[in-house]
Amino acid sequence: MSRYVVLDLETTGVSYAEGDRIIQLAYTVIEEKKIVKTFNTLINSETTIPAFVQQLTQIQTEDLAKAPSFEEIVPELMEDLNNSCFVAHNVDFDLHFLNETLEDTGYTPYEGPVLDTVELSRIAFPSESGYRLSELAENLSLHHVVPHQADSDAYATAELFLKISEVFRKLPRPALKHLLGIEHMLKSSLRPLLEEWFEQAEDAAGELEVYRGIALRKINYEAAENENIEADFNEVFADFQTGETISKVMPGFIRRSGQEEMINFVHQIFTGSKIGLVEAGTGTGKTLAYLLPAAYYAAVYKEKVVISTETIQLQEQLLKKEVPLVEKLLPFPVKPALLKGRTHYVCLQKVENLLDLSFQESYERMVSKAQIVVWLTITGTGDVEELNLADASDRFLREVSSDIQSCAGPDCPWFSRCFYQRAKKAAKAADVVITNHAMLLSDIVHESQILPSYSSVIIDEAHHLEEAATRHFGTQLDYASMAQLLNDFTTRGQDNVLEPWLSLYTPEMWKRCKEKIQQAREEWNDLFLSIYSYADKGAGRGETGDVSKVIVRDESWNYVLEAAHRFHAVFTEAVDELKKIELEISSDTSTGPAYKNEQTALDRYIHEMDDLHRKFMDLITHQQEDNVYWMERALKGPKQSITIFSSPTEVSQLLADRFFQKKKRVILTSATLTVNQSFNFVIRQLGLEDFEVETKVVASPFNWSEQVALMIPNDIPLIQEAGEDAYIHSIAQAIYQTAEVTEGKMLVLFTSYDMLRKTYHLVSNLLDDSYMLIGQGIQSKSRTKLVKMFQQFDRTILFGTSSFWEGVDIPGEDLSVIVMARLPFSPPSDPVFKAKSDKLKQEGASPFIKLALPQAVLRFKQGFGRLIRRETDRGIVIVLDRRIDTARYGKQFVKSLPDMPVHRGSIYDLETEIDAWLHKPLKESVYDGDH
Ligand code: SF4
């Protein structure tokens, strides 16, 4: 095949049968790897173009009047298609629509070979974030001048096809061989091309190697020698203070006295072997402030420093952005390493097994396998997060990623090339290991078997540590995991290798076992139906309105226990039967290596069953006194869509004994650690009361009194007095009036989804069409998507609940006002909050003073921190909850904020203040430091 017609259609809709027609047809002809012809025409289909299609394509109905009819252009099209391969981006649509049109006009439909560039780009570029033509055009620098116009789309698709071909052409033979084994399941007629490329390809050379039939990128992991580094901290720090070096590597760098204070503080804590808590206000530049002394300490004192962040994204940002900067600032090299949880790394043994499977598998799995084959020739990390898999199901991910149960360790033939082992080895040799709280806590749970040994640690976003520990020291189990495992095992499905094998190999034993598994499946269903009845009595909606949480604690739980014991009995019998089969197979020497994959799959099933059974017992039949148990239920899903959770009520002692006690140097940092200028709350939460800790507050360099004003309307009723409905009416009116002044640009923070939803409906009735009102759980649940929408449009108002109180970063003019609908106290029904409160009550302490208030103040500070993200931002925070003024504790909220003007008055009066504040020019420089 050497001639390709890359075609794109614009149509009035998606269904020819329902009267939709082609309005533009364009194609690009490729011969010998070059574009040799382009063809483009509007088509007069004697139809009216719907408004949204006109908007999308910029083609108006009147544009078609002078265009040729489809019949007029067919001869040229058919001539070009003759002896060519048909290529399109989403070939099913274009080819189907074209063929229906051809047939209807009396021509023979095209039946030659086809190539789909969506499918092929998935395989060739397995790490792309999306496969829409516009996304690929942007990321691969294709010419795509006018998206949604057929000529531009066809040209961009042709370029895309050439890039895809380039990737395939460079693949080594073993990779192409694997693709040839998968090709029959693809939409694209790729075989002739693959065969041609295979003939021309080499086995593997240069950066690639072949091991056990799989082509991989060579990774020469050589630990750099640990040189003796002699550098004086004061000299390094003095160089930083002059700003000379950093200005060269970071143009526009601004000196901040707070950042320098923090560098010194971290250095002192490290050299003095202590625990330090540092609250670094927004804009301090805290990452650099801890990274610089940490890297210095690690390299000079030969002491590994672990840095833990809350999220994987922050981990990546540290490694890719901040560490390279620090490397440029220091007069010696730094050896960083990033270590994620084991399941983030692909297991090469599992991949080998998967590629050997000769079963008919689903289309998505086959494409995913092809993606992995190509990706292994590129990846240096083996981190599955680099992949955008066609089958992104948990099940498939489990089938390809490393896990402790199925890992053969040093006996694995892939051990020396294993990505997880290499990441661990790199972490062992590194000065600075970047990890996340989940990993850090897993390491604590597994008694230091995951991270390399370390005594010095920096915990960023430390206000999350207690919550992360509560989650991590607990367990969870959902209905679907067990149901799916039991189902998949006994169903003769496309992807099940075991059922047909066991039916043939040990028919009698398998029959018995299968019966038990089916009974267990029924008991599991019954168990979750009784859990559903229990949960149905339960609590209100969660933060997105589609989940409810119910605490497990009263006597009717005994009915659930009866069903649980029935499940337990039959499930244990099923696992025993399965283990007998495993024993029978492993002692049969005649099987040899022929059933290696099946045996591995059987092992994996048994491990998974044991693992789920242990969780089931921990959560249902063997509950502990000092844990809290609860369930979360999807309100709109099937009855069994329930997950059961457990957590220790208190993690402070666990953290003290199992973590802080064992570390010599610890920095805990965040922008929000103090309540009422005191670290006491966080010290108590983290179990640091018996340790000697040093604390520091580094003030934000922003000029708050110039950049933010706090507004407190005094004509909003108190909810306790007026009732919820009146309160909601009142805040809806206030939000509307404020929006009229600010022209949107508002983030409204709620503490309950019900209130968000009710307020949303009222405000949407008040606003005219020029505003865009976006609600969490209304347009979307995804925070990223909602923030993107918020930034995309003018005059926008975004309503969010708890996950919006922090972590949302909207710098600049897009966000001018934050409205807090209520002070952010935790809902009293929250299971963990409730369990902690009950415990405090039993100890004779006030749950409000010791828990609810400090938690709310910290969250209030986080919500406030969303507004000003850089020195040129200016805005207003409006607190609609008058308890901030009327309640005795209200002062603590105001006192926890930096100094700024506070305006009180009726909403009507405040409108003028808001207008004046937002239009007041900002002073030129608001930094306290030199530039
Ligand atoms: S060592 Fe374990 S995780 Fe690594 S490839 Fe082998 S089985 Fe997989």
Side-chain angles (χ1 to χ4, degrees):
M1 245 187 313
S2 59
R3 195 165 192 275
Y4 305 89
V5 173
V6 187
L7 183 140
D8 190 73
L9 302 175
E10 299 305 331
T11 62
T12 54
V14 293
S15 169
Y16 188 86
E18 286 180 21
D20 293 323
R21 292 294 176 263
I22 299 173
I23 53 172
Q24 188 186 12
L25 183 150
Y27 57 86
T28 301
V29 181
I30 297 176
E31 278 178 8
E32 303 298 334
K33 303 178 205 164
K34 287 200 180 78
I35 292 172
V36 295
K37 174 180 175 180
T38 55
F39 175 91
N40 172 35
T41 182
L42 295 177
I43 307 264
N44 186 353
S45 307
E46 294 175 358
T47 187
T48 307
I49 306 175
F52 77 95
V53 178
Q54 290 191 25
Q55 208 179 9
L56 191 74
T57 60
Q58 301 299 310
I59 303 170
Q60 316 300 318
T61 304
E62 50 276 21
D63 297 341
L64 306 183
K66 291 191 184 144
S69 67
F70 182 73
E71 287 85 342
E72 285 176 77
I73 61 114
V74 172
E76 187 174 347
L77 171 66
M78 294 310 273
E79 199 184 319
D80 277 321
L81 277 175
N82 192 26
N83 287 327
S84 299
C85 177
F86 184 98
V87 185
H89 202 67
N90 190 4
V91 77
D92 286 347
F93 174 77
D94 292 283
L95 185 59
H96 195 69
F97 213 105
L98 179 70
N99 276 345
E100 281 189 300
T101 316
L102 283 168
E103 248 185 318
D104 214 24
T105 44
Y107 286 89
T108 314
Y110 173 83
E111 284 180 345
V114 299
L115 291 169
D116 182 11
T117 49
V118 175
E119 179 181 69
L120 297 181
S121 44
R122 270 194 177 285
I123 300 169
F125 307 113
S127 300
E128 280 301 317
S129 53
Y131 295 96
R132 288 209 307 264
L133 189 57
S134 53
E135 290 169 304
L136 289 165
E138 193 177 328
N139 295 342
L140 301 173
S141 308
L142 310 173
H143 287 99
H144 195 213
V145 191
V146 199
H148 303 298
Q149 287 206 354
D151 50 342
S152 181
D153 286 357
Y155 197 87
T157 307
E159 284 195 340
L160 174 63
F161 174 62
L162 290 173
K163 289 211 179 227
I164 292 167
S165 307
E166 258 329 281
V167 171
F168 282 115
R169 197 171 286 117
K170 286 186 187 151
L171 288 175
R173 279 185 166 207
L176 289 165
K177 193 172 161 207
H178 282 302
L179 295 182
L180 276 162
I182 290 166
E183 183 273 345
H184 65 284
M185 283 294 287
L186 303 181
K187 292 176 197 166
S188 301
S189 326
L190 200 58
R191 180 157 290 270
L193 274 173
L194 284 174
E195 284 172 347
E196 184 190 319
W197 292 326
F198 184 82
E199 281 308 311
Q200 294 160 3
E202 293 180 9
D203 265 356
E207 293 188 335
L208 299 177
E209 63 165 337
V210 178
Y211 185 70
R212 296 174 71 84
I214 296 178
L216 302 163
R217 195 179 135 192
K218 269 187 215 157
I219 301 174
N220 292 326
Y221 172 69
E222 298 267 335
E225 287 289 304
N226 260 345
E227 294 164 33
N228 270 343
I229 294 164
E230 283 180 20
D232 180 63
F233 181 76
N234 291 329
E235 280 173 26
V236 172
F237 186 47
D239 178 68
F240 178 79
Q241 280 179 311
T242 63
E244 227 172 82
T245 315
I246 195 158
S247 301
K248 282 185 206 140
V249 293
M250 198 181 166
F253 172 77
I254 300 166
R255 272 189 67 193
R256 301 162 198 194
S257 55
Q259 189 175 43
E260 291 169 11
E261 270 177 59
M262 184 165 165
I263 291 175
N264 251 328
F265 179 77
V266 175
H267 178 65
Q268 279 163 22
I269 293 292
F270 268 37
T271 45
S273 296
K274 293 177 196 160
I275 296 179
L277 285 102
V278 51
E279 180 177 87
T282 319
T284 303
K286 76 170 156 39
T287 314
L288 193 59
Y290 65 66
L291 208 46
L292 202 67
Y296 171 85
Y297 189 83
V300 173
Y301 290 81
K302 305 273 167 293
E303 271 276 1
K304 194 179 303 302
V305 178
V306 166
I307 297 177
S308 178
T309 64
E310 159 69 355
T311 60
I312 287 171
Q313 289 88 319
L314 272 174
Q315 237 184 304
E316 302 265 1
Q317 188 187 317
L318 266 176
L319 186 79
K320 291 181 186 152
K321 212 173 130 208
E322 313 289 350
V323 171
L325 178 65
V326 167
E327 282 179 315
K328 287 180 192 153
L329 292 176
L330 290 172
F332 46 81
V334 180
K335 284 181 286 167
L338 182 131
L339 190 59
K340 295 187 180 177
R342 178 174 204 135
T343 53
H344 286 272
Y345 299 92
V346 81
C347 166
L348 288 165
Q349 183 58 65
K350 285 187 181 177
V351 171
E352 183 190 333
N353 297 346
L354 201 69
L355 291 174
D356 281 354
L357 286 184
S358 49
F359 272 81
Q360 189 80 343
E361 295 173 82
S362 64
Y363 171 76
E364 285 75 20
R365 280 171 67 93
M366 290 304 242
V367 174
S368 301
K369 280 165 70 164
Q371 289 182 291
I372 292 174
V373 166
V374 175
W375 175 67
L376 286 178
T377 65
I378 305 165
T379 182
T381 66
D383 182 347
V384 285
E385 246 166 78
E386 290 174 7
L387 279 166
N388 185 351
L389 289 169
D391 182 351
S393 66
D394 288 347
R395 182 177 166 192
F396 186 73
L397 286 174
R398 275 205 304 273
E399 280 184 58
V400 293
S401 55
S402 169
D403 69 85
I404 192 155
Q405 289 89 356
S406 67
C407 178
D411 294 336
C412 167
W414 287 98
F415 192 73
S416 61
R417 289 166 175 81
C418 171
F419 288 114
Y420 177 59
Q421 296 301 336
R422 282 196 289 212
K424 276 180 68 167
K425 207 167 154 192
K428 203 171 171 193
D431 300 323
V432 174
V433 179
I434 302 165
T435 190
N436 55 49
H437 296 353
M439 271 292 276
L440 189 91
L441 290 156
S442 278
D443 188 58
I444 299 171
V445 173
H446 294 103
E447 304 195 335
S448 314
Q449 287 174 19
I450 300 170
L451 296 173
S453 132
Y454 68 100
S455 303
S456 312
V457 57
I458 294 179
I459 314 239
D460 197 354
E461 301 292 299
H463 64 280
H464 280 296
L465 186 65
E466 193 259 354
E467 194 191 318
T470 306
R471 242 187 352 254
H472 223 82
F473 292 147
T475 311
Q476 69 178 71
L477 176 63
D478 59 30
Y479 165 81
S481 324
M482 180 69 90
Q484 205 175 18
L485 188 73
L486 297 172
N487 229 12
D488 291 349
F489 196 32
T490 51
T491 318
R492 190 175 280 237
Q494 271 188 324
D495 307 328
N496 187 358
V497 295
L498 282 177
E499 212 285 338
W501 177 58
L502 293 175
S503 306
L504 274 176
Y505 193 76
T506 52
E508 282 310 308
M509 290 174 91
W510 174 235
K511 193 168 162 244
R512 268 200 312 278
C513 177
K514 201 169 159 178
E515 273 171 21
K516 293 287 172 206
I517 292 175
Q518 275 158 352
Q519 279 174 29
R521 175 84 173 85
E522 282 159 25
E523 293 295 350
W524 185 249
N525 258 344
D526 282 356
L527 170 63
F528 268 74
L529 284 175
S530 59
I531 291 177
Y532 168 80
S533 309
Y534 183 91
D536 202 32
K537 296 178 286 168
R541 289 151 182 264
E543 78 160 25
T544 53
D546 51 7
V547 173
S548 83
K549 292 183 182 182
V550 180
I551 302 173
V552 174
R553 63 197 158 93
D554 61 28
E555 280 172 7
S556 48
W557 185 246
N558 287 337
Y559 293 108
V560 174
L561 282 183
E562 281 172 26
H565 288 307
R566 283 200 303 276
F567 168 76
H568 173 72
V570 66
F571 184 81
T572 311
E573 286 173 15
V575 177
D576 287 347
E577 291 290 341
L578 211 51
K579 286 182 178 166
K580 279 185 209 156
I581 294 178
E582 192 191 28
L583 192 68
E584 168 88 10
I585 291 168
S586 57
S587 52
D588 180 357
T589 47
S590 67
T591 52
Y595 295 113
K596 187 186 67 171
N597 290 338
E598 287 78 357
Q599 285 187 14
T600 312
L602 181 58
D603 263 4
R604 198 175 62 234
Y605 267 115
I606 293 175
H607 276 308
E608 279 187 55
M609 282 180 146
D610 281 341
D611 190 40
L612 290 183
H613 193 212
R614 185 184 46 74
K615 286 186 180 170
F616 156 80
M617 290 196 294
D618 285 353
L619 285 161
I620 302 178
T621 55
H622 291 63
Q623 294 188 347
Q624 305 288 316
E625 264 298 295
D626 44 4
N627 277 12
V628 51
Y629 297 85
W630 76 97
M631 58 191 80
E632 294 185 6
R633 181 166 74 82
L635 292 170
K636 287 187 191 146
K639 283 186 175 180
Q640 289 105 327
S641 60
I642 293 173
T643 306
I644 308 179
F645 296 82
S646 84
S647 284
T649 310
E650 275 297 340
V651 291
S652 51
Q653 200 54 49
L654 285 169
L655 283 172
D657 296 344
R658 292 165 75 173
F659 182 58
F660 293 116
Q661 188 69 49
K662 296 181 178 170
K663 303 299 164 205
K664 287 193 186 133
R665 291 161 281 274
V666 182
I667 288 285
L668 295 137
T669 184
S670 159
T672 49
L673 288 179
T674 63
V675 177
N676 208 6
Q677 324 301 328
S678 155
F679 284 90
N680 286 351
F681 175 65
V682 76
I683 286 177
R684 213 171 44 238
Q685 293 283 93
L686 295 176
L688 290 169
E689 279 167 310
D690 296 333
F691 294 83
E692 198 185 318
V693 295
E694 288 197 18
T695 59
K696 177 154 200 71
V697 175
V698 177
S700 161
F702 297 153
N703 189 344
W704 295 97
S705 56
E706 181 66 22
Q707 292 183 259
V708 192
L710 177 64
M711 310 255 172
I712 306 174
N714 58 17
D715 53 352
I716 305 274
L718 284 165
I719 197 167
Q720 300 83 337
E721 289 169 5
E724 191 180 277
D725 285 350
Y727 184 76
I728 291 173
H729 269 92
S730 185
I731 64 168
Q733 186 63 36
I735 292 165
Y736 160 69
Q737 282 178 235
T738 310
E740 289 276 285
V741 181
T742 62
E743 303 195 350
K745 301 173 189 157
M746 282 166 71
L747 171 63
V748 187
L749 298 171
F750 290 84
T751 54
S752 99
Y753 180 71
D754 271 343
M755 187 175 282
L756 179 151
R757 199 173 44 87
K758 287 173 185 161
T759 316
Y760 180 94
H761 290 302
L762 290 175
V763 175
S764 64
N765 287 335
L766 293 169
L767 292 170
D768 65 41
D769 288 350
S770 65
Y771 287 92
M772 171 116 181
L773 186 58
I774 308 168
Q776 185 186 3
I778 294 172
Q779 282 86 355
S780 167
K781 285 181 216 157
S782 153
R783 195 171 70 175
T784 319
K785 233 185 222 170
L786 292 165
V787 170
K788 215 170 175 183
M789 283 169 82
F790 180 74
Q791 288 174 306
Q792 238 165 26
F793 300 98
D794 292 333
R795 294 165 80 89
T796 320
I797 303 160
L798 172 58
F799 282 15
T801 54
S802 60
S803 61
F804 276 81
W805 284 80
E806 70 169 307
V808 178
D809 203 355
I810 310 173
E813 285 187 2
D814 290 333
L815 179 64
S816 299
V817 183
I818 285 188
V819 179
M820 297 187 186
R822 299 273 285 150
L823 291 176
F825 286 101
S826 288
S829 59
D830 177 82
V832 178
F833 176 82
K834 171 112 189 50
K836 283 180 192 293
S837 300
D838 290 348
K839 190 160 183 283
L840 283 166
K841 259 188 238 162
Q842 280 165 15
E843 291 165 2
S846 156
F848 183 78
I849 301 293
K850 292 272 182 195
L851 183 66
L853 182 60
Q855 261 187 0
V857 171
L858 282 179
R859 192 176 291 177
F860 177 78
K861 284 170 72 171
Q862 284 152 11
F864 174 85
R866 301 307 96 220
L867 186 63
I868 303 297
R869 310 304 292 168
R870 56 189 192 195
E871 67 275 18
T872 48
D873 289 347
R874 149 160 290 180
I876 292 166
V877 174
I878 304 175
V879 179
L880 298 175
D881 190 338
R882 267 181 47 226
R883 286 179 295 176
I884 197 165
D885 270 344
T886 60
R888 246 185 310 137
Y889 56 77
K891 284 195 265 337
Q892 291 208 24
F893 288 89
V894 183
K895 270 169 68 183
S896 68
L897 299 179
D899 281 343
M900 67 186 71
V902 183
H903 301 267
R904 292 178 172 83
S906 68
I907 264 289
Y908 181 78
D909 291 340
L910 289 180
E911 280 177 38
T912 320
E913 303 278 359
I914 293 168
D915 193 34
W917 182 261
L918 291 179
H919 290 98
K920 188 177 150 193
L922 199 61
K923 280 187 193 162
E924 219 171 67
S925 167
V926 291
Y927 267 115
D928 64 343
D930 301 326
H931 284 242

